[in-house]
Amino acid sequence: MSTRIGDLAFLSDMHSAALVDRSGSVEWWCLPHFSSPSVFGRILDTGAGHFRVAPTLIESVERHYLDDSLVLRTTFQTATGTLELTDALAMAKGVRGHDVGKGSPHVILREAHCTSGEIGLEVDFVPRFEYGLTTPLVWHEDGIVISTGGPTTLRLDAGMELAIDGAAAAGRTRLRTGESIELSLIHI
């Protein structure tokens, strides 16, 4: 693992966990429970999958959690502008107290928002199931990227066009001040 464990941010929906590195990459996500095999496991092996959303040519990175939550905000500064990436594992509506985690929808929500200038944005989706042992099938269906392997299926709505290359999907776009891209990755 090239990333130090202290540089990984923790996301949770009280049923599973994801780890996000400082470059905007989900390096670990196990589904649908903490004890389940990973769908992204690059913290174990470079070929075990990841899901990166970030600007090109990053100059600096700052991160923090929003208001006593596990909603992560990463601010990327580039030579041409600033991008805020907000990441969270969704919780079921209305759950509180001892119900937290009940009915978890198993969704990673990501929003890339250009706060100033112009940003080149890259999305790199490389699912690898079962700790990287299973390379899934990846295809487009009605503008959505679907990946499936064994009992696991993921549905990625990227808010932008992604090109399929074997068992991965990737794309680039440009965002200007005030523009955003919302991404949702759902375990179905």
Side-chain angles (χ1 to χ4, degrees):
M1 181 172 95
S2 61
T3 301
R4 297 178 315 172
I5 196 72
D7 287 332
L8 294 168
F10 178 77
L11 306 177
S12 181
D13 59 7
M14 305 301 286
H15 278 258
S16 66
L19 298 173
V20 182
D21 75 7
R22 294 180 61 79
S23 76
S25 182
V26 176
E27 299 286 285
W28 176 262
W29 190 23
C30 51
L31 285 166
H33 305 287
F34 288 108
S35 60
S36 300
S38 66
V39 294
F40 304 118
R42 193 159 67 171
I43 64 169
L44 301 176
D45 183 290
T46 57
H50 64 280
F51 177 27
R52 184 170 184 266
V53 176
T56 55
L57 305 173
I58 299 167
E59 291 186 350
S60 68
V61 178
E62 293 181 19
R63 299 190 306 178
H64 67 278
Y65 290 101
L66 302 181
D67 302 325
D68 296 324
S69 72
L70 287 179
V71 176
L72 177 67
R73 169 81 41 83
T74 305
T75 303
F76 297 100
Q77 187 67 49
T78 73
T80 60
T82 304
L83 180 92
E84 289 183 348
L85 177 64
T86 304
D87 291 314
L89 278 174
M91 303 283 253
K93 187 176 180 176
V95 295
R96 296 287 182 260
H98 293 290
D99 288 336
V100 170
K102 183 178 178 182
S104 169
H106 307 299
V107 178
I108 288 183
L109 299 172
R110 310 189 85 185
E111 180 188 43
H113 178 73
C114 181
T115 59
S116 69
E118 186 174 333
I119 297 288
L121 182 72
E122 300 174 327
V123 174
D124 192 21
F125 176 66
V126 185
R128 296 293 183 266
F129 304 157
E130 307 276 335
Y131 308 104
L133 297 176
T134 302
T135 301
L137 298 172
V138 178
W139 72 93
H140 283 112
E141 187 173 294
D142 298 324
I144 305 296
V145 175
I146 307 291
S147 61
T148 190
T152 305
T153 300
L154 299 176
R155 180 181 182 271
L156 173 61
D157 185 346
M160 61 183 274
E161 188 173 330
L162 298 180
I164 306 294
D165 183 12
R172 289 183 175 204
T173 192
R174 295 205 67 77
L175 297 177
R176 291 173 183 79
T177 303
E179 295 179 336
S180 297
I181 297 263
E182 295 177 352
L183 304 95
S184 64
L185 180 59
I186 302 169
H187 175 252
I188 52 176

